[in-house]
Amino acid sequence: MIRFLVSIMTRHIKNHFYLWDKAPKYKHHYQFSQDWFTKNIRVWYRHLKLFAGKSNLKALEVGTYEGRSALWLLDNVLHDPSSHLVCVDPYPGNMKPFRDRFTANLK
């Protein structure tokens, strides 16, 4: 019984890392000061890969911060010229450096 459980756990762990290795990363070199997104790439990829490259996709991101997840979406899902991403973040006065970093990464 213990061997069976270890076998199942080993397969699960291997699949976890296999999906992580296969999940696309960023296509460009961006500058970020925080990372709350990278640990979620595998999950986002699993659910969004069916949409990758399709035309006329529309997406809304609320709470963009430095744009880490937005830029991943643009690089890996919304890369058809007819697809669009709208990012909303109020960027209060003390958040200007984060807005500037996001804007610079878009260039």
Side-chain angles (χ1 to χ4, degrees), residues 51-70:
F51 299 102
K54 296 203 175 181
S55 59
N56 296 311
L57 294 174
K58 312 271 187 282
L60 170 67
E61 179 176 77
V62 178
T64 303
Y65 196 58
E66 293 179 323
R68 189 179 284 269
S69 57

Side-chain angles (χ1 to χ4, degrees), residues 45-95:
Y45 178 65
R46 185 174 58 223
H47 293 289
L48 298 175
K49 67 183 174 184
L50 297 173
F51 299 102
K54 296 203 175 181
S55 59
N56 296 311
L57 294 174
K58 312 271 187 282
L60 170 67
E61 179 176 77
V62 178
T64 303
Y65 196 58
E66 293 179 323
R68 189 179 284 269
S69 57
L71 293 164
W72 184 88
L73 279 169
L74 291 171
D75 280 356
N76 295 288
V77 179
L78 304 172
H79 46 83
D80 185 272
S82 64
S83 294
H84 298 282
L85 173 64
V86 174
C87 297
V88 179
D89 200 311
Y91 292 114
N94 63 341
M95 299 285 286

Side-chain angles (χ1 to χ4, degrees), residues 36-53:
W36 298 312
F37 175 69
T38 301
K39 65 183 177 203
N40 298 311
I41 288 176
R42 182 179 45 84
V43 175
W44 282 45
Y45 178 65
R46 185 174 58 223
H47 293 289
L48 298 175
K49 67 183 174 184
L50 297 173
F51 299 102

